Amino acid sequence: MMVSGRRCTRGSEAPRPGTMGGGGQPGEAGGGGGRPGGVFTWEEVQRHRGRNDQWLVIDRKVYDISQWAQRHPGGVRVISHYAGEDATEPFAAFHPDKKFVQKFLKPLLIGELAATEPCQDRSKNAAAVRDFEALRARAQSQGLFQARPLFFCLHLGHILLLEAAAWMMLWSWGTSWTLTLLCSFILAVAQSQAGWLQHDFGHLSVFKMSAWNHLLQKFVIGHLKGASANWWNHRHFQHHAKPNVFSKDPDVNMLHVFVVGDSQPVEYGIKKIKHMPYNHQHQYFFLLGPPLLIPVYFHIQILRTMFSRRDWVDLAWSMSFYLRYLCCYAPFYGLLGSVALISFVRFLESHWFVWVTQMNHLPMIIDHERHQDWLSMQLNATCNIQQSSFNDWFSGHLNFQIEHHLFPTMPRHNYHRVAPLVRALCEKHGIPYHVKSLRRGLTDVVRSLKNSGDLWLDAYLHK
């Protein structure tokens, strides 16, 4: 397999022969037959991408993760998506404390790339990789990875205030239909904003210590929302690692209900696959997408994941939400009425969540693995929505989806500061940097579904 790119000396210090083996065992070669202190070509590394035989490269060092991948804190799938590849860029993106992570990497080291091998594998743009590394260093030097505690305290405070206001309104004025609808709306706002806040903690973008981020994420997503932090992390990190890549990004796994992008509809059409009338998917999306994702699909998936993985800690956090909720609202509505209320709140929240998350990704390129560099991959899969105070609040600053995907550990209040630098870098390398109005972003969701449905119908009838 051919590789391209400029030679470089990044991380080229050779490991001490005979001291480190693969699979986490000192001096023992891993499942792929690695040699301690060995020197490898990209072609050799790329052979090790099977389920039980996985190597990857970080800063020109070759690691055998075959046995350790199952213990990866971010989940086995996200690290396995880079088996047989250069993982330097995603490693830098996901790990704010690289010195801490080194103690886990050290026992997995089996060698390095040969001096004649380029730093980048496959057809990645070496110049873009180099310039993006410089941009990351510049952002760090400008303090753009430093969070403002007051920002997140105020954000949490307004969520708690909304929760309290919804209950106080019923306690003070009763449970008429008008007040119940208003209460539902207020709770849906609180739930949506809590979703954006747990997203911040999940990406380790608030506290310097990972443990504090994990603890606050469990509080917000567990106690304030009734969901699971581990379920969200393992799913969402895959999305960031390989956005809009079939079989790797769970967000484009539509369970045969929708076909997306340009390639999948044609493949389904040629194979005469018709699980749904896909040429009408832009219409039934309004019935099966926003209304059902959180209250039905996510709810079932969260419960199944917690029980199958025996994640009793997340289950306890989740149950604390429902216990608190029933104690607050069962006296007003009874058990069945309370269940109906929270179901309606989830229904409203689901619409909010689906439109915000899909407007940044669904209209973009969705395809099979293309092995692109980090900058090109993220820009092809994401777009921005114009900045405004409302858009920032409404989307949890995910209107800066490009900057968030490039720098997932950066505090969201700094996205607008790094955005001009990212745009300049994209212009330099001829990479499109898409910014849309909120209205255009929402309508493009439906437009992209219709385009994909038309591609399917044409291939189904004529190919």
Side-chain angles (χ1 to χ4, degrees), residues 1 119 145 185 269 286 301 399 448 457:
M1 189 171 295
C119 285
F145 288 89
F185 175 76
F286 291 93
Q301 192 180 64
N399 50 326
S448 66
L457 183 62

Side-chain angles (χ1 to χ4, degrees), residues 28-45:
E28 176 186 327
R35 304 180 298 276
V39 177
F40 305 100
T41 64
W42 278 117
E43 185 176 3
E44 289 178 294
V45 171

Side-chain angles (χ1 to χ4, degrees), residues 246-321:
F246 290 122
S247 78
K248 295 185 177 181
D249 180 0
D251 286 5
V252 296
N253 175 23
M254 301 295 183
L255 301 177
H256 304 298
V257 178
F258 303 99
V259 289
V260 292
D262 294 337
S263 62
Q264 186 189 47
V266 175
E267 292 170 5
Y268 273 43
I270 293 174
K271 296 177 182 178
K272 309 305 177 187
I273 298 175
K274 187 181 181 181
H275 297 289
M276 299 288 287
Y278 298 120
N279 52 310
H280 296 294
Q281 65 178 4
H282 62 291
Q283 296 169 323
Y284 67 71
F285 169 77
F286 291 93
L287 298 176
L288 302 182
L292 301 182
L293 183 66
I294 289 180
V296 177
Y297 176 66
F298 274 6
H299 188 68
I300 293 173
Q301 192 180 64
I302 289 169
L303 288 174
R304 184 174 61 190
T305 300
M306 289 191 296
F307 280 104
S308 64
R309 295 179 181 173
R310 299 182 179 181
D311 192 350
W312 310 130
V313 173
D314 275 14
L315 181 62
W317 277 108
S318 177
M319 291 302 102
S320 74
F321 163 81

Side-chain angles (χ1 to χ4, degrees), residues 95-281:
H95 302 94
D97 188 354
K98 298 179 183 59
K99 291 183 179 179
F100 174 78
V101 182
Q102 285 297 328
K103 70 178 184 179
F104 297 99
L105 285 177
K106 190 175 181 180
L108 310 177
L109 182 64
I110 59 173
E112 66 171 5
L113 292 175
T116 55
E117 292 293 297
C119 285
Q120 283 73 48
D121 59 329
R122 306 181 192 268
S123 58
K124 294 178 181 176
N125 187 332
V129 172
R130 185 171 59 253
D131 287 348
F132 182 71
E133 287 179 350
L135 175 57
R136 171 181 291 279
R138 181 178 177 183
Q140 289 174 331
S141 66
Q142 293 180 356
L144 299 185
F145 288 89
Q146 301 298 317
R148 296 202 306 264
L150 180 61
F151 174 90
F152 294 102
C153 287
L154 292 176
H155 193 78
L156 176 59
H158 105 285
I159 294 169
L160 298 177
L161 185 62
L162 288 169
E163 293 266 5
W167 184 86
M168 288 293 294
M169 181 180 62
L170 299 179
W171 182 76
S172 301
W173 299 315
T175 57
S176 67
W177 278 105
T178 301
L179 290 174
T180 298
L181 289 174
L182 182 57
C183 174
S184 301
F185 175 76
I186 293 174
L187 289 176
V189 174
Q191 287 292 295
S192 296
Q193 292 300 320
W196 308 142
L197 183 59
Q198 72 82 23
H199 176 257
D200 297 315
F201 292 122
H203 277 296
L204 311 180
S205 63
V206 182
F207 297 104
K208 291 183 178 180
M209 291 183 60
S210 296
W212 282 104
N213 285 295
H214 292 311
L215 177 61
L216 267 295
Q217 185 193 20
K218 289 186 182 296
F219 169 75
V220 176
I221 196 175
H223 185 66
L224 296 186
K225 290 185 61 62
S228 164
N230 287 334
W231 163 82
W232 182 88
N233 289 339
H234 290 179
R235 177 187 176 90
H236 190 65
F237 292 162
Q238 292 182 72
H239 163 68
H240 270 269
K242 295 285 186 175
N244 285 11
V245 175
F246 290 122
S247 78
K248 295 185 177 181
D249 180 0
D251 286 5
V252 296
N253 175 23
M254 301 295 183
L255 301 177
H256 304 298
V257 178
F258 303 99
V259 289
V260 292
D262 294 337
S263 62
Q264 186 189 47
V266 175
E267 292 170 5
Y268 273 43
I270 293 174
K271 296 177 182 178
K272 309 305 177 187
I273 298 175
K274 187 181 181 181
H275 297 289
M276 299 288 287
Y278 298 120
N279 52 310
H280 296 294
Q281 65 178 4

Side-chain angles (χ1 to χ4, degrees), residues 365-414:
I365 296 175
I366 305 175
D367 207 344
H368 298 285
E369 178 65 79
R370 300 168 72 180
H371 300 291
Q372 296 177 299
D373 55 88
W374 186 256
L375 181 67
S376 302
M377 178 177 65
Q378 302 297 346
L379 267 294
N380 284 339
T382 58
C383 68
N384 280 2
I385 302 298
Q386 292 173 349
Q387 184 187 21
S388 71
S389 297
F390 174 79
N391 288 351
D392 291 351
W393 174 84
F394 179 73
S395 66
H397 287 83
L398 294 182
N399 50 326
F400 288 97
Q401 192 73 220
I402 292 173
E403 287 69 32
H404 171 59
H405 265 255
L406 291 176
F407 308 102
T409 61
M410 180 179 289
R412 60 160 124 157
H413 51 69
N414 286 333

